[in-house]
Amino acid sequence: MSIELNFFSPVQPIKNKLFDAIGINVFIKRDDLIHPIISGNKWRKLKYTLKKAVTQNKTHLVTFGGAYSNHLLATSAAAAQFGFKSTGIVRGEQVENDTIFLCKLHGMKLIFVDREKYRDKQTLFNQYFENNQEAFFVDEGGASPEGAKGCSEIMAELPEIYDHIFSACGTGTTAAGIINGIYNLNLPTLFNGIPVLKNGSFLQTEIELYLNTYHPFKLHTDYHFGGYGKTTPELLAFIKQFVADTGILIDPVYTGKMLFAIYDLAAKNYFKPGTSVLAIHSGGMWGILGMKDKF
Ligand SMILES: *Cc1c(COP(=O)(O)O)cnc(C)c1O
């Protein structure tokens, strides 16, 4: 089975009075359109991971995530599409939600473990799959050198050169891949990461771990809105306005925070007139269904 998806991820302009007034051009790369479930950076990160599993004759993907994890869901659908079995080891007590439902529908077996045990993923893998020759360990969030390699391919798909690229950061794998891509293609582009967790400056070293060669980049650590999965009325109001203005769905966990940052930085004159800015829509829209009551 060859591990390929034929997909469509165009770059589209985002029109806005604020951007016109400052004289900047803002675009968005629609990685959310890659696949309805294996969407955005989750496909980018799985591609070379799945290829590695195939080379090692592994037929069962074992991975990790919270009960709303886009990575768990993407892995379940990719496993189904490419003929793997899949198991998800889920943090916390047993729950039912839309993500869990969709994982099961794609044939993923789920094992719920308490937060203490969840910390040590290798031990958990060994506990359940030590003597299982078919099982292949896929880290939480798809974090891996293979994941970064897949994300670096974004850069070669771009139709023009941008001054700034923005992406939301969880593990930092996507960021590292994009920075490697910028370096490999010798582009003058600055990568701007928006950590979605509190105290996101730890990502500086996490990202550097996956860089092939050190290359400067910038983290804006003040757009976490209280921490992972946390929102504020200001963020939710921004998301409603953005979705209604553009027809592009974004979420409060990742892409909403990243786009809010671009608008806020624009208003604070971070961008010089004439600058071009590209936002990466990293996909993962299903999680929003777990947040309906916040809107
Ligand atoms: C998982 C995810 C991220 C975080 O990607 P990392 O490579 O872990 O930094 C960003 N955006 C979306 C939509 C995601 O689902």
Side-chain angles (χ1 to χ4, degrees):
M1 167 71 75
S2 85
I3 310 291
E4 296 295 338
L5 282 182
N6 280 320
F7 62 77
F8 177 63
S9 171
V11 171
Q12 298 168 342
I14 303 177
K15 290 286 167 212
N16 181 280
K17 279 193 195 126
L18 171 66
F19 300 156
D20 287 346
I22 309 169
I24 62 174
N25 294 306
V26 181
F27 302 87
I28 186 163
K29 176 148 172 76
R30 300 292 309 276
D31 265 14
D32 56 318
L33 300 180
I34 286 180
H35 184 280
I37 311 275
I38 320 171
S39 98
N41 65 355
K42 298 305 181 278
W43 165 246
R44 304 263 181 203
K45 292 197 273 186
L46 282 169
K47 179 177 166 187
Y48 289 101
T49 305
L50 269 50
K51 284 180 189 280
K52 187 176 172 190
V54 169
T55 352
Q56 297 184 7
N57 291 316
K58 303 292 187 186
T59 54
H60 183 168
L61 306 177
V62 178
T63 196
F64 306 83
Y68 289 97
S69 164
N70 293 329
H71 165 72
L72 272 189
L73 179 54
T75 305
S76 73
Q81 171 146 353
F82 297 112
F84 295 91
K85 283 193 256 182
S86 67
T87 298
I89 299 185
V90 190
R91 182 182 61 234
E93 65 205 34
Q94 184 149 2
V95 288
E96 299 295 334
N97 65 38
D98 298 296
T99 301
I100 295 293
F101 162 72
L102 287 170
C103 286
K104 288 186 190 161
L105 197 57
H106 287 90
M108 183 176 254
K109 298 271 182 308
L110 298 174
I111 302 172
F112 291 84
V113 300
D114 67 47
R115 279 154 203 276
E116 193 51 46
K117 278 213 193 108
Y118 183 82
R119 267 186 213 141
D120 190 350
K121 306 199 173 54
Q122 196 61 55
T123 303
L124 275 171
F125 180 81
N126 294 345
Q127 182 186 334
Y128 290 100
F129 297 100
E130 183 150 43
N131 298 314
N132 184 328
Q133 295 305 313
E134 297 176 1
F136 185 77
F137 177 98
V138 180
D139 208 347
E140 179 175 39
S144 59
E146 291 76 25
K149 182 179 176 194
C151 293
S152 72
E153 294 183 346
I154 291 173
M155 295 309 300
E157 292 170 19
L158 302 181
E160 55 182 284
I161 294 172
Y162 305 91
D163 297 307
H164 293 271
I165 291 196
F166 278 75
S167 178
C169 301
T171 65
T173 312
T174 303
I178 293 172
I179 298 162
N180 285 334
I182 290 173
Y183 179 83
N184 293 342
L185 297 173
N186 201 12
L187 298 172
T189 307
L190 177 66
F191 177 81
N192 295 259
I194 307 300
V196 301
L197 306 93
K198 214 188 264 182
N199 305 321
S201 50
F202 78 93
L203 278 168
Q204 186 75 31
T205 34
E206 296 292 306
I207 292 172
E208 286 177 22
L209 280 179
Y210 292 122
L211 294 186
N212 300 331
T213 308
Y214 179 76
H215 187 72
F217 60 94
K218 182 145 182 64
L219 292 177
H220 303 270
T221 55
D222 293 333
Y223 294 102
H224 56 76
F225 295 88
Y228 183 76
K230 300 279 189 332
T231 63
T232 65
E234 193 186 18
L235 177 62
L236 296 173
F238 169 79
I239 290 171
K240 282 189 204 168
Q241 190 71 49
F242 181 88
V243 176
D245 283 350
T246 63
I248 300 171
L249 193 55
I250 57 173
D251 78 295
V253 182
Y254 292 106
T255 48
K257 292 180 181 179
M258 181 270 299
L259 282 154
F260 185 101
I262 293 177
Y263 282 69
D264 193 58
L265 289 165
K268 291 175 175 158
N269 294 316
Y270 176 73
F271 305 110
K272 293 194 197 78
T275 299
S276 60
V277 179
L278 179 71
I280 306 293
H281 195 317
S282 41
M285 293 318 310
W286 293 95
I288 204 172
L289 295 177
M291 305 186 93
K292 290 191 288 277
D293 50 352
K294 303 206 187 232
F295 280 84

